[in-house]
Amino acid sequence: MLLDLLGRDASTRNPMTGRLAVVVPGAILASCVAAHSVPASLPRTALQDLTANDQRTDWDLAASVYLWVASKTGVVQTEGLVLPLDDPDESSGAFVYVEAQQGPWGLVLDLDFLSTDDESPGPNGPVEVKEDTFIGELDATWSPHGSDTLRLILGIRVLDSSQDFFLPVLPDQSADTTLVDPVLGAQGTWPLTETVSFRLRADLGGFGVDSDLTYQTFGLFAWEFARRWNATAGYRILGWEFEDDGIRSDLRLSGVLVGIAARF
């Protein structure tokens, strides 16, 4: 039934995908940690002010709104069906990123919404998968003593996803998934000029709590075009591997993001 319906199975997935999901963010984490001892020789931009490890007692607050244009790759398996999601078509998503910093300690709230519509060809007709995904994350951050660039991250990521499967022969199916996972990561912010900075973040999570693995990597350039205001642009990768209520998912979202940030 599986091969007749879709003409392919889970074995078509690249066996290196899971390894790269761990190796790439892990390498970036190591780079952030190794680079924290390099002093910043240029003036800090508004974006980097939040990473300064000083003695201020007031909370600094920054809020960012992004548009994320992402493509999805991966595989979804449900009730004997294997649905490859290798559609290169891009999907629009949005997320809000709020940071609060007091001295070396900080909090990060990340709220994401993404809607995707993928279609996989099969000998009996196309198999369509529609998915609405909400991702919420709350992190605590800490900057090591003497570091103006590095922040270590410990947080919780929540995934809530609803999926609808439209099949050409079998009855349509739907599924809902909710996962709560721990996340460990690091983030570095470095000034490039007086008004431009670069931020790099990577994290890994899951560890078998709810999902087997969740990971994220993004690089972001920020340009301070006015006092307390930044225009931002970069690239983001977000993925997870999990099995819940008979659904086995191995998904990765990646694409360009653009946004605007304000510091208060």
Side-chain angles (χ1 to χ4, degrees):
M1 172 67 71
L2 176 62
L3 295 179
D4 291 340
L5 181 65
L6 296 175
R8 59 182 297 181
D9 59 20
S11 64
T12 61
R13 186 180 61 182
N14 189 335
M16 292 297 293
T17 300
R19 297 178 185 176
L20 290 176
V22 176
V23 172
V24 173
I28 295 176
L29 286 175
S31 299
C32 289
V33 173
H36 93 276
S37 60
V38 179
S41 58
L42 294 171
R44 290 195 302 268
T45 65
L47 182 61
Q48 198 196 14
D49 278 344
L50 282 177
T51 67
N53 184 11
D54 55 26
Q55 300 301 317
R56 288 176 298 187
T57 58
D58 295 333
W59 284 90
D60 286 328
L61 180 66
S64 308
V65 179
Y66 295 95
L67 173 66
W68 187 23
V69 182
S71 60
K72 175 189 285 188
T73 59
V75 172
V76 174
Q77 304 177 53
T78 177
E79 297 189 12
L81 303 178
V82 177
L83 307 177
L85 302 179
D86 297 324
D87 191 342
D89 293 341
E90 296 175 334
S91 303
S92 296
F95 67 97
V96 177
Y97 195 86
V98 180
E99 300 175 86
Q101 184 82 9
Q102 184 186 54
W105 301 100
L107 294 172
V108 175
L109 177 64
D110 184 2
L111 302 176
D112 305 70
F113 179 79
L114 186 70
S115 181
T116 60
D117 188 349
D118 297 291
E119 190 174 277
S120 299
N124 297 318
V127 179
E128 184 179 4
V129 181
K130 291 186 177 181
E131 182 174 9
D132 291 327
T133 301
F134 169 79
I135 301 171
E137 185 172 329
L138 180 62
D139 300 328
T141 67
W142 174 71
S143 299
H145 178 70
S147 173
D148 283 350
T149 58
L150 176 67
R151 293 169 68 182
L152 303 180
I153 298 167
L154 172 64
I156 296 176
R157 179 174 296 156
V158 178
L159 167 69
D160 185 70
S161 178
S162 61
Q163 301 164 322
D164 294 308
F165 304 91
F166 301 96
L167 310 174
V169 177
L170 301 177
D172 297 339
Q173 301 180 34
S174 61
D176 294 308
T177 301
T178 301
L179 306 172
V180 181
D181 293 300
V183 174
L184 297 173
Q187 176 176 288
T189 305
W190 299 272
L192 302 179
T193 71
E194 292 186 0
T195 58
V196 178
S197 64
F198 177 70
R199 169 174 293 185
L200 183 64
R201 168 173 171 152
D203 61 60
L204 294 171
F207 312 118
V209 176
D210 267 357
S211 65
D212 297 328
L213 175 68
T214 179
Y215 57 91
Q216 176 181 221
T217 302
F218 71 75
L220 191 68
F221 289 93
W223 169 50
E224 186 181 11
F225 62 89
R227 179 174 172 79
R228 299 182 180 274
W229 288 92
N230 291 268
T232 55
Y235 195 87
R236 187 187 195 195
I237 300 172
L238 177 63
W240 56 89
E241 299 177 10
F242 65 90
E243 184 170 358
D244 183 65
D245 292 335
I247 303 172
R248 177 68 189 176
S249 298
D250 184 354
L251 307 176
R252 191 182 84 158
L253 300 166
S254 59
V256 174
L257 55 88
V258 293
I260 189 168
R263 184 169 57 90
F264 306 95

